[in-house]
Amino acid sequence: MSVPPAFSDISKTSNDLLNKDFYHIAAAKIDVKSKAPNGVSFNVKGTSNHEGPTSGSVEAKYADPPTGMVLNLLRFITTTHFHTSPTLNNTIILSRGNAVLLIFYQRAGLSLTQTWTTANVLSTKLELDNNIAKGLKAEALTDFVPSSQKFGAKLNLYFKQPNFNARAFFDVLKGPVANVDAVLGRDGFLVGGEAGYDVQKAAITKYSLAVGYTAAEYSAAITATSSLSVFAASYYHKVNSQAEAGAKATWDSKGSNNVGMEVAGKYRLDPTSFAKAKINDRGIAALAYNVKLRPGVTVGLGLSLDTQNLNEAAHKVPIADRHPKRTIG
């Protein structure tokens, strides 16, 4: 029995095919990753949009993996006894004339991530994974803006079990507001729901539903979001080891009566490169090329065309996206 995807990932395969690796969204993008010998990893991101300033962030993360520890204590006694506690994962061994206490325990396995962005926002995230309970991950996030002295705090919970995946997001200082979603899965079939609740107003702020089916070579999903006002149907098909295809149709019942449509395809040219193309109902076409130059270094190129206005300056070219990754040590 496998764990189903999260509610937001029910349509992930088709969404990735339609949106991922198309570099026309930003004029240039860079993502540099490195890892020090002591386990601290760094990630520097930068994005230059077609309009507006360049944004970026510097992130440092340290993960303290769970480890075992043994503590020996000596006492003098006159009896012999042996005891094991599975709850604390410890063992007590007593022998005539002395006692030796052996305590084995798992360290918390805490992860700390610190981020500083070009918008002068300091973010801190603490993660505790699979320690409080099996399948439960807890995150505490804080944001601080030194210029305005604004402070934010959030608590996220993730719970995964066979055939079940649930999440809860709490904004502690705003509202407080809670967003909860859950997905049930069995034999490839998926059923999920999402709801938002404002504690101060004592009101449900949003709700969504989704159903889907996932197999090895294809998947399909139907979602109803924004309080069941926006409907979407998506489809993904892995034709073979080289070709992939997908489509998505979206209808906003509160907006236009027209249905938005997107169609995309991906073709792997060789083990190190692939090309993607997509077009929507408005005639906007996008092309992308991605090549892995060497381990840890990937370069992507993108192009966006308005096929209905080829004579106008509405195109975005050239566009590049680089993702160098380097491990130090």
Side-chain angles (χ1 to χ4, degrees):
M1 294 184 292
S2 61
V3 177
F7 181 82
S8 59
D9 293 335
I10 290 181
S11 305
K12 184 177 182 349
T13 51
S14 59
N15 288 338
D16 285 350
L17 182 64
L18 290 164
N19 302 316
K20 195 175 179 181
D21 301 317
F22 285 103
Y23 309 111
H24 63 281
I25 299 175
K29 189 176 181 181
I30 186 171
D31 189 348
V32 182
K33 296 181 180 180
S34 63
K35 189 173 183 179
N38 63 352
V40 179
S41 58
F42 300 91
N43 190 1
V44 180
K45 298 180 181 179
T47 302
S48 176
N49 297 318
H50 296 281
E51 298 179 359
T54 300
S55 60
S57 64
V58 179
E59 177 185 289
K61 180 178 181 179
Y62 176 72
D64 185 23
T67 58
M69 184 176 181
V70 179
L71 177 63
N72 296 328
L73 296 177
L74 179 64
R75 292 182 181 178
F76 292 95
I77 60 172
T78 58
T79 61
T80 301
H81 182 64
F82 176 85
H83 175 68
T84 300
S85 173
T87 304
L88 298 177
N89 195 19
N90 61 56
T91 303
I92 304 175
I93 303 175
L94 306 180
S95 60
R96 185 175 300 277
N98 62 76
V100 180
L101 173 64
L102 304 179
I103 302 178
F104 301 90
Y105 67 93
Q106 292 288 332
R107 286 166 58 179
L110 185 68
S111 296
L112 172 64
T113 304
Q114 185 70 50
T115 306
W116 190 18
T117 70
T118 52
N120 197 20
V121 178
L122 297 172
S123 301
T124 301
K125 179 169 68 173
L126 294 175
E127 302 175 64
L128 196 61
D129 191 6
N130 205 31
N131 186 274
I132 301 175
K134 185 178 180 180
L136 178 63
K137 177 182 177 181
E139 292 180 348
L141 302 93
T142 60
D143 293 324
F144 177 66
V145 183
S147 58
S148 60
Q149 300 295 309
K150 292 184 178 180
F151 184 80
K154 297 180 180 180
L155 175 64
N156 300 334
L157 299 175
Y158 306 83
F159 185 65
K160 297 180 180 180
Q161 293 292 324
N163 301 327
F164 182 72
N165 192 341
R167 305 180 304 176
F169 307 95
F170 303 93
D171 194 322
V172 180
L173 301 182
K174 294 181 180 180
V177 177
N179 293 294
V180 181
D181 61 57
V183 176
L184 294 173
R186 186 174 181 85
D187 298 329
F189 290 95
L190 304 172
V191 178
E194 177 191 38
Y197 185 76
D198 191 318
V199 177
Q200 187 175 7
K201 297 179 180 179
I204 296 176
T205 58
K206 66 176 181 179
Y207 48 91
S208 306
L209 294 174
V211 294
Y213 179 78
T214 302
E217 297 180 349
Y218 67 93
S219 63
I222 299 175
T223 61
T225 58
S226 301
S227 300
L228 306 185
S229 64
V230 178
F231 301 88
S234 59
Y235 175 75
Y236 167 85
H237 182 204
K238 185 174 182 179
V239 182
N240 51 47
S241 59
Q242 292 179 296
E244 302 174 35
K248 184 177 182 179
T250 306
W251 176 56
D252 189 347
S253 62
K254 295 183 179 179
S256 173
N257 290 327
N258 297 329
V259 176
M261 178 71 70
E262 286 183 292
V263 180
K266 177 180 177 180
Y267 185 78
R268 182 162 293 279
L269 304 171
D270 54 57
T272 62
S273 65
F274 63 84
K276 297 181 69 173
K278 73 173 180 178
I279 189 169
N280 61 22
D281 60 292
R282 300 185 304 277
I284 306 298
L287 303 174
Y289 174 73
N290 187 292
V291 58
K292 185 176 182 180
L293 300 180
R294 62 181 179 85
V297 179
T298 301
V299 175
L301 302 175
L303 169 66
S304 177
L305 295 172
D306 187 346
T307 59
Q308 296 181 349
N309 300 283
L310 293 176
N311 295 327
E312 298 181 8
H315 318 301
K316 300 175 182 178
V317 59
I319 302 136
D321 191 2
R322 301 180 180 179
H323 297 278
K325 302 177 183 178
R326 181 182 179 188
T327 301
I328 301 176

